[in-house]
Amino acid sequence: KGKRAFIAGVADDNGYGWAIAKSLAAAGAQILVGTWVPALNIFESSLRRGKFDESRVLPDGSLMEITKVYPLDAVFDNPEDVPEDIKTNKRYAGSSKWTVQEVAESVKEDFGTIDILVHSLANGPEVTKPLLETSRNGYLAALSASSYSYVSLLKHFLPIMNPGGSSISLTYIASEKIIPGYGGGMSSAKAALESDTRVLAFEAGRKRKIRVNTISAGPLRSRAAKAIGFIDMMIDYSIANAPLQKELSADEVGNSAAFLASPLASAITGTVLYVDNGLNAMGVGV
Ligand code: NAI
């Protein structure tokens, strides 16, 4: 029987979320996505107009089907959390039921259960600022959007996840090694995400036999990465210094996620899996 996946953090065909959706679809999973509310209209109209059709092609020649797109803002857990200025914001007014709890309820109503949960989202409003210049609000916003959003998603989806299921997030080596330029508390947010991966693996494993892992991905020219401003340099650095001297493709991360989500990884939980051409293992650049 085919599995069902919910992938949070897909708003175009350039990021890791899209690539993960494709690899899961190629392996036979049904695909549901959660798209950030302000990006929803462009994403849905681009999908409808066929703008992503070339990137929808799967290895067997068929096109990936996205069964349903849910509006989502993962910094809000339930309607009581939503402040007035967001409620009345034009970019949110056209959508409804986009808090984490409401999205999980909608997925339950529509499909009953899922097998795979993917968190492929992050946001740090002060990411271009060094940590020493980051405000308290900027730091907390990075943690809220990039770390707690995962705790919240897993908490709300866990009751509808089938035992044996798998949950995956995306992290970055800046959590454990100094990467100047990955600021605004984003390095802190990834450190929290990795630590939470271990604790959540224990809690979700004991509670519902769900595995919890995170992929530490190498650099990819996604929309989010371009906003940080140093992505081309990181890609060049990796090609120059990693054991495997090639550009990392989003598909390589997608395929690793499909492995982690599959029964082939049935004893793997609580881990950080590096999918970065081996760059993490280098001590010096050569
Ligand atoms: P992306 O731009 O494709 O994905 C980020 C997504 O997060 C976007 O679709 C955005 O709309 C969404 N988002 C932001 N705030 C949100 C919120 N409050 N609620 C719901 N959605 C929200 O970029 P990318 O790079 O593929 O990012 C996916 C994950 O991969 C992130 O966790 C990122 O930190 C991680 N990653 C990216 C690397 C890179 O070089 N691109 C390297 C290592 C990890």
Side-chain angles (χ1 to χ4, degrees):
K1 188 185 141 283
K3 293 188 175 172
R4 188 176 297 116
F6 181 85
I7 302 151
V10 181
D12 60 39
D13 59 350
N14 294 317
Y16 282 134
W18 177 271
I20 292 170
K22 275 181 77 175
S23 293
L24 292 173
Q30 182 181 38
I31 304 300
L32 315 175
V33 305
T35 301
W36 195 34
V37 188
L40 182 75
N41 280 340
I42 317 176
F43 180 62
E44 285 199 303
S45 66
S46 303
L47 257 184
R48 235 181 295 116
R49 294 200 328 266
K51 209 185 144 225
F52 300 137
D53 282 0
E54 246 173 74
S55 345
R56 283 173 61 208
V57 180
L58 299 175
D60 72 354
S62 67
L63 295 190
M64 166 172 70
E65 285 301 331
I66 297 179
T67 305
K68 189 159 178 180
V69 178
Y70 292 86
L72 168 70
D73 193 323
V75 303
F76 302 110
D77 301 315
N78 50 56
E80 295 82 71
D81 283 354
V82 182
E84 209 49 43
D85 60 318
I86 297 280
K87 268 184 206 150
T88 55
N89 184 311
K90 269 205 297 251
R91 301 201 294 172
Y92 285 77
S95 301
S96 59
K97 297 194 181 168
W98 41 258
T99 66
V100 176
Q101 186 191 320
E102 291 169 295
V103 174
E105 281 166 6
S106 299
V107 171
K108 182 181 181 184
E109 252 170 54
D110 295 342
F111 299 98
T113 60
I114 64 166
D115 303 285
I116 301 161
L117 176 68
V118 178
H119 175 281
S120 181
L121 64 96
N123 195 21
E126 298 181 16
V127 65
T128 57
K129 289 189 190 167
L131 191 52
L132 274 176
E133 285 160 34
T134 298
S135 71
R136 185 180 298 268
N137 278 342
Y139 184 99
L140 293 176
L143 269 286
S144 174
S146 314
S147 315
Y148 189 77
S149 58
Y150 185 54
V151 177
S152 179
L153 269 174
L154 187 57
K155 164 183 172 159
H156 288 98
F157 276 89
L158 196 60
I160 65 162
M161 288 187 77
N162 293 318
S166 171
S167 176
I168 297 160
S169 66
L170 275 298
T171 187
Y172 185 50
I173 187 86
S175 59
E176 43 175 321
K177 303 280 181 194
I178 303 162
I179 309 280
Y182 198 73
M186 279 307 299
S187 56
S188 330
K190 292 306 192 188
L193 184 67
E194 290 173 23
S195 179
D196 294 346
T197 297
R198 292 180 282 272
V199 177
L200 294 170
F202 171 72
E203 296 181 4
R206 291 294 174 91
K207 209 167 177 175
R208 285 192 71 84
K209 299 187 167 68
I210 300 297
R211 295 181 294 106
V212 181
N213 293 290
T214 189
I215 292 175
S216 186
L220 173 76
R221 209 175 278 102
S222 65
R223 188 189 170 96
K226 281 191 273 190
I228 305 173
F230 69 171
I231 189 64
D232 291 314
M233 195 191 94
M234 298 316 287
I235 291 171
D236 293 344
Y237 182 89
S238 182
I239 293 171
N241 296 295
L244 301 176
Q245 294 192 293
K246 61 179 175 64
E247 187 158 345
L248 181 70
S249 88
D251 292 350
E252 294 176 295
V253 169
N255 290 340
S256 306
F259 160 69
L260 282 177
S262 80
L264 295 175
S266 57
I268 304 179
T269 193
T271 66
V272 178
L273 178 67
Y274 295 95
V275 184
D276 65 348
N277 286 321
L279 186 63
N280 72 91
M282 297 300 296
V284 289
V286 283

